[in-house]
């Protein structure tokens, strides 16, 4: 909507984005899928296929931003980790989204997959939205949304930097980190009691 061309790389095996199957409320499509993918182009690729990898690298050579939320370690195994991409394309902005953060910050949690409801519970958010005896998740995927908003802000800053210097950068964000930040004030209240 803001003028950027966004190409969403999806699996070519027919599975693609599982959010497509959530419901059929938006004119026969999933309401959530339509909301988070509005205006995006979809490009199905098999990242293990040499021709598809070559096509992706031709796209990356001209791209400003690469955002990935593959399973932990998958980007690196497929040659699409931020370190390798930043070496190959110095002007590229890379944004890695994970459940719990990089290995240094998250320790053993780094390798774990994360789901919005789990992150809401693990961050303590569900204790604020329910009763003391019955914690409840927020009614929308707030960890996903919060993380996406932090990515958006960081990418805007990085684009400004790119325009000034010609250099990209690496951004690392996580669902847990986003909600942990949101939980700062409730934590301070809890610790003050």
């Amino acid at each position: 909507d803001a003028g950027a061309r966004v190409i969403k790389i999806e699996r070519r095996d027919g599975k693609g984005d599982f959010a497509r199957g959530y419901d059929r409320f938006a004119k026969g499509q999933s309401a959530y899928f339509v909301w988070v993918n509005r205006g995006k182009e979809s490009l199905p690729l098999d990242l293990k296929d040499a021709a598809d990898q070559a096509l992706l690298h031709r796209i990356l050579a001209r791209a400003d931003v690469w955002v990935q939320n593959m399973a932990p370690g998958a980007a690196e195994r497929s040659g699409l980790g931020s370190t390798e991409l930043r070496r190959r394309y110095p002007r590229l902005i890379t944004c890695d989204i994970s459940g719990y953060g990089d290995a240094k910050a998250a320790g053993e949690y780094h390798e774990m997959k994360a789901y919005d409801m789990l992150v809401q519970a693990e961050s303590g958010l569900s204790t604020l939205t329910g009763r003391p005896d019955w914690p409840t998740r927020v009614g929308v995927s707030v960890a996903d949304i919060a993380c996406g908003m932090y990515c958006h802000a960081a990418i805007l800053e990085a684009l400004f930097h790119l325009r000034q210097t010609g250099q990209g950068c690496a951004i690392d964000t996580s669902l847990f980190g986003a909600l942990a930040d949101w939980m700062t004030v409730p934590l301070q209240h809890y610790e003050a009691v």
Side-chain angles (χ1 to χ4, degrees), residues 82-132:
S82 283
T83 301
E84 174 61 21
L85 292 179
R86 295 274 309 115
R87 183 195 62 72
R88 194 166 175 177
Y89 312 107
R91 64 175 305 282
L92 185 65
I93 297 163
T94 61
C95 182
D96 297 324
I97 300 171
S98 65
Y100 300 96
D102 65 20
K104 187 173 159 184
E108 64 189 42
Y109 283 84
H110 169 68
E111 294 296 322
M112 295 174 57
K113 291 183 179 180
Y115 299 94
D116 195 277
M117 183 173 69
L118 291 175
V119 174
Q120 286 188 40
E122 291 165 335
S123 68
L125 179 63
S126 58
T127 63
L128 300 178
T129 57
R131 301 184 319 249

Side-chain angles (χ1 to χ4, degrees), residues 93 173 186 193:
I93 297 163
T173 185
V193 175

